[in-house]
Amino acid sequence: VLVLSELFTNAILHSDSGKPGGLVIVQITRWLLGVRIAVTDQGSHNLPVIRNPGACSDLAESGNGLYLAAQLAGCLDWHNDASGRTIAAMLGKLPPEHHPPPPGTRPGESSRLPQPA
């Protein structure tokens, strides 16, 4: 809930979605051991910035939301497309499609170890 709140608030505060008539889309996908929270806004000219609050001497009351979300999520990423910007957080154990298969299980690969010459 905290990660969703941070991502949604950022969409309203830092993108065109915060303007009158703005739109934010939230998508939550759950699998057995985790969840993906994706928030799509209407874009911004500024890129998202993950600020480390320990890097500056003054403790700001704002500007640390993406840092917090990144610390709680196993993976935090974003991309821009025609609909705007989507930022997604993956929490829990990542689903199989986000883990590379072990050697020898991909088509065309041998599962045998090389033999010494």
Side-chain angles (χ1 to χ4, degrees):
V1 172
L2 181 64
V3 172
L4 174 58
S5 174
E6 290 295 338
L7 299 182
F8 188 87
T9 300
N10 281 351
I12 297 298
L13 293 176
H14 303 294
S15 80
D16 291 342
S17 293
K19 295 178 180 176
L23 177 68
V24 177
I25 299 169
V26 174
Q27 179 186 30
I28 300 175
T29 308
R30 185 178 77 79
W31 59 92
L32 185 61
L33 298 174
V35 66
R36 177 181 183 264
I37 300 168
V39 175
T40 302
D41 59 41
Q42 292 179 296
S44 169
H45 295 291
N46 300 322
L47 292 177
V49 176
I50 299 175
R51 295 188 186 122
N52 182 344
C56 42
S57 58
D58 63 335
L59 295 175
E61 291 185 19
S62 65
N64 299 316
L66 281 183
Y67 177 80
L68 179 62
Q71 295 303 304
L72 293 172
C75 176
L76 182 72
D77 65 359
W78 58 83
H79 69 275
N80 295 324
D81 59 24
S83 63
R85 176 174 293 138
T86 299
I87 185 161
M90 307 264 273
L91 293 93
K93 187 173 179 181
L94 298 179
E97 64 268 16
H98 289 278
H99 294 285
T105 60
R106 296 181 202 144
E109 286 187 356
S110 171
S111 60
R112 297 186 312 167
L113 294 173
Q115 299 299 316

